[in-house]
């Protein structure tokens, strides 16, 4: 298989991959052409102490997030604010996007086993979405047997 095949189906390769820290991105910068997600902010699934799994306090303000192959922002955290942010071209076929192909993905993949890592107190305001495959997605929230508890 050539590198092109891997590129078309791989989801890793983000610009910021943060686990359980306070992250504030407020600078007017542009994040673009990530091989995976531009920003991935999730809980620490591997931590045995339940109280230490939760990711807290993410602020994304005044950014441009463009052409992420997978997602512009992936979030599984508490106290999240995404505001004044522009999302363009996330997951599009021109960059060989890979699922879920969203500007913002609320993705508590392990919520069945680790319910404490779900998204809590998430606010979005004044965001613009242009030409993304999906503007917002939520993993598992639409599955019949999941109980609608994901986000």
């Amino acid at each position: 298989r050539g590198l092109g095949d891997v590129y078309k189906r791989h989801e890793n390769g983000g610009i910021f991959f943060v686990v359980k820290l306070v992250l504030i991105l407020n600078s007017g910068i542009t994040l673009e052409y990530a091989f995976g997600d531009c920003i991935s902010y999730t809980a620490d699934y591997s931590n045995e102490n339940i109280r230490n799994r939760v990711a807290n306090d993410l602020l994304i303000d005044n950014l441009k997030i463009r052409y992420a192959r997978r997602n512009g922002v992936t979030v599984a955290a508490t106290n999240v604010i995404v505001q004044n942010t522009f999302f363009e071209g996330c997951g599009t076929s021109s960059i060989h996007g890979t699922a879920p192909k969203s500007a913002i993905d609320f993705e508590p993949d392990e919520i069945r086993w680790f319910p404490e890592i779900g998204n809590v107190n998430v606010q979005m305001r004044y965001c613009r979405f242009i030409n993304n495959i999906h503007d917002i997605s939520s993993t598992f929230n639409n599955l019949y047997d999941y109980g609608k508890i994901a986000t």
Side-chain angles (χ1 to χ4, degrees), residues 17-22 40-46 52-55:
F17 181 78
V18 180
V19 175
K20 203 193 162 319
L21 295 174
V22 173
S40 179
Y41 192 74
T42 63
D44 181 2
Y45 303 113
S46 66
N52 289 333
R53 286 186 187 145
V54 178

Side-chain angles (χ1 to χ4, degrees), residues 6 17 33 83 85 92-93 114-115 118 133 138 148-149:
V6 172
F17 181 78
Y33 295 104
Q83 63 188 12
T85 299
T92 60
S93 60
F114 305 116
I133 295 296
S138 179
K148 305 283 184 191
I149 61 171

Side-chain angles (χ1 to χ4, degrees), residues 47-104:
N47 197 314
E48 292 184 19
N49 184 338
I50 290 174
R51 291 183 182 158
N52 289 333
R53 286 186 187 145
V54 178
N56 291 305
D57 304 324
L58 170 64
L59 171 62
I60 298 173
D61 186 10
N62 193 30
L63 296 181
K64 288 183 183 176
I65 297 176
R66 304 175 65 232
Y67 300 104
R69 277 193 58 249
R70 185 169 179 262
N71 300 309
V73 176
T74 297
V75 177
T78 299
N79 300 327
V80 175
I81 298 173
V82 181
Q83 63 188 12
N84 305 313
T85 299
F86 174 77
F87 296 90
E88 179 183 12
C90 296
T92 60
S93 60
S94 65
I95 55 171
H96 305 287
T98 189
K101 304 179 187 180
S102 296
I104 300 175

Side-chain angles (χ1 to χ4, degrees), residues 91-146:
T92 60
S93 60
S94 65
I95 55 171
H96 305 287
T98 189
K101 304 179 187 180
S102 296
I104 300 175
D105 182 31
F106 296 104
E107 188 174 295
D109 281 341
E110 302 294 337
I111 200 166
R112 283 187 183 175
W113 299 277
F114 305 116
E116 67 278 358
I117 60 131
N119 290 293
V120 177
N121 192 26
V122 176
Q123 301 176 43
M124 293 174 47
R125 50 186 171 236
Y126 311 115
C127 295
R128 290 183 48 212
F129 300 91
I130 297 176
N131 297 327
N132 302 289
I133 295 296
H134 304 288
D135 291 338
I136 299 172
S137 67
S138 179
T139 305
F140 293 139
N141 206 31
N142 60 355
L143 296 181
Y144 173 75
D145 65 343
Y146 209 72

